[in-house]
């Protein structure tokens, strides 16, 4: 990074002394916003094209600018570009290099715009591209969950409330619950995209510009759905970035819940699933260990994402209109939120299809916790017993089972009849785990049949 200019070349006109070296470093953003170079060049090309169309630039000037910007892009991509902290940010670095290359015409590019609408445009272009990439990963993860749900539609496991065995459910049903959470996050992301995809270009510093610009034209050239409607608002608000982080927080919250379950399930105590070795790491001291680091890290990353959301909310709070330098602080949290979301989704989308279930362990666990007790109560109600009485009868049967260390389905008919004479041999149809899950056959229920229907329905909504 070169640092040799006396006063800033871009705005130094009214200054009589150079910027303090510390201040230059403190106020510069080029170290992190150079990441926006491609969007910045794309925006500048659209702006120059429009300026030529409305007659502010000649076609020749426009061509020179575009040619120069393309060369700058190549220099950056080849790693030959020399970023300068003295030039503050990505915008001024690129413009200065353009002017170095094509001379005075380079200085005309900034006609009718400001870094304020420029940076707002760049971030929106960047975020829109990233939203599209994230959307593709969300679809990949959801596809994996649906495939797994279908594969394991009849696999029985204990369902929990309070992390205590409650009723048997199917593993497929459980995977569909995750899929539902993530599909709502996906909807939120696509909804956020609508508000990201508007063009602030032309808002200039804050009030618009005196040149006869065509904002519809630049919006269209950049693939935005329309220009934003108020120049003051456009250069100042970063609510679209906050919305993205809110999406990210909810997504990571959901992934952290799934992670927690994966971690529990891989433990020797549960032993419900196995994660392939390539997603796990060992311990340097305990040779027997195989740690579920990937889900643990995803669970942990939720903290930094929530931090970024709070950072951006706090950054925006109480800012007077219009642009304030505070907004330069929007980039690092946003970039990190994007990177983290992409990594976590990738980890999950890779891991889910590779997950192996241990059907026997899940089945045994479901049997251990008297998970069909509610089914027995429902059976008694169907035989004319009032629900409260049925609850009492089942409670006593469970106490007996605990004493005998046997599940309800493992008792004899005579043993069960001690608690109620209405019990007949058909009771065993409901006391089995298979009978229990099959009986919950309605929209959203855990029956294998319903899981398969739900998978088919969800597949249709995969590409909204
Ligand atoms: N680097 C600045 C940012 O990220 C660009 C806009 C600067 N505008 C200004 N008036 N100083 O926000």
């Amino acid at each position: 990074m070169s640092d040799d200019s006396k006063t800033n070349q871009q705005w130094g006109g009214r200054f009589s002394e150079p910027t303090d070296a510390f201040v230059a470093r403190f106020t510069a953003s080029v170290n992190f916003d150079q990441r926006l170079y491609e969007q910045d060049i794309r925006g500048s090309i659209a702006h120059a094209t429009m300026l030529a169309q409305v007659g502010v630039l000649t076609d020749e000037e426009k061509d020179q600018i575009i040619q120069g910007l393309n060369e700058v892009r190549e220099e950056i991509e080849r790693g030959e570009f020399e970023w300068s902290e003295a030039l503050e940010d990505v915008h001024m670095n690129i413009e200065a290099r353009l002017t170095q290359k094509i001379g005075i015409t380079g200085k005309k590019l900034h006609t009718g715009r400001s870094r304020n609408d420029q940076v707002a445009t760049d971030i929106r272009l960047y975020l829109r591209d990233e939203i599209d990439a994230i959307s593709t990963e969300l679809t990949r993860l959801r596809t994996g969950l649906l495939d797994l749900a279908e594969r394991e539609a009849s696999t029985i496991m204990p369902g929990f409330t309070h992390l205590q065995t409650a009723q048997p459910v199917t593993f497929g049903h459980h995977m569909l619950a995750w899929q539902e959470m993530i599909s709502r996050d996906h909807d939120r992301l696509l909804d956020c995209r609508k508000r990201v995809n508007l063009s602030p270009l032309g808002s200039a510093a804050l009030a618009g510009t005196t040149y006869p610009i065509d904002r519809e034209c630049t919006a269209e050239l950049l693939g935005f759905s329309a220009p934003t409607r108020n120049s003051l608002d456009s250069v100042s608000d970063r609510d679209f970035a906050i919305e993205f982080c809110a999406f990210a927080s909810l997504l990571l919250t959901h992934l952290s819940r799934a992670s927690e379950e994966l971690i529990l399930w891989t433990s020797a105590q549960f032993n419900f699933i196995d994660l392939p070795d390539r997603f796990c790491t060992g311990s340097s001291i305990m040779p027997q260990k195989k740690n579920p680091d990937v889900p643990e890290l995803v669970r942990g990353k939720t903290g930094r994402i929530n931090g970024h959301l709070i950072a951006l909310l706090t950054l925006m709070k109480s800012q007077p209109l219009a642009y304030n330098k505070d907004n330069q602080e929007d980039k690092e949290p946003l970039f990190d939120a994007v990177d983290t979301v992409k990594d976590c989704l990738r980890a999950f989308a890779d891991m889910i299809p590779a997950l192996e279930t241990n059907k026997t362990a899940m089945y045994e666990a479901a049997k251990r916790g008297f998970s069909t007790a509610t089914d027995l109560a429902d059976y008694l109600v169907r035989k004319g017993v009032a629900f409260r009485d049925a609850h009492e009868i089942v409670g006593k049967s469970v106490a007996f089972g605990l004493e005998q260390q046997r599940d309800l389905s493992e008792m004899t008919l005579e043993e069960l009849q001690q608690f109620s004479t209405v019990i007949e041999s058909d009771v065993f149809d409901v006391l089995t785990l298979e009978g229990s899950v099959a009986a919950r056959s309605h929209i959203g229920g855990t029956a294998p049949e319903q899981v398969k229907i739900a998978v088919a329905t969800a597949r249709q909504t995969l590409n909204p």
Side-chain angles (χ1 to χ4, degrees), residues 27 29 32-33 88-91 114-116 119 123 238 323-325 327-331:
T27 54
S29 53
F32 51 86
D33 69 13
E88 220 175 300
D89 56 26
V90 61
H91 323 292
S114 148
R115 275 185 295 153
N116 297 351
V119 71
I123 309 169
R238 297 291 183 262
Y323 176 84
N324 301 285
K325 185 77 166 179
N327 279 345
Q328 183 163 292
E329 285 288 304
D330 63 354
K331 287 166 206 64

Side-chain angles (χ1 to χ4, degrees), residues 247-263:
F247 144 80
S249 276
L250 273 169
L251 173 70
L252 265 286
T253 298
H254 288 147
L255 293 182
S256 78
R257 296 183 64 191
S259 296
E260 172 72 8
E261 294 188 320
L262 291 176
I263 295 160

Side-chain angles (χ1 to χ4, degrees), residues 47-61:
H47 181 64
T49 307
M50 180 277 292
L51 287 181
Q53 263 176 38
V54 300
V56 173
L57 290 180
T58 65
D59 278 342
E60 207 177 54
E61 288 170 330

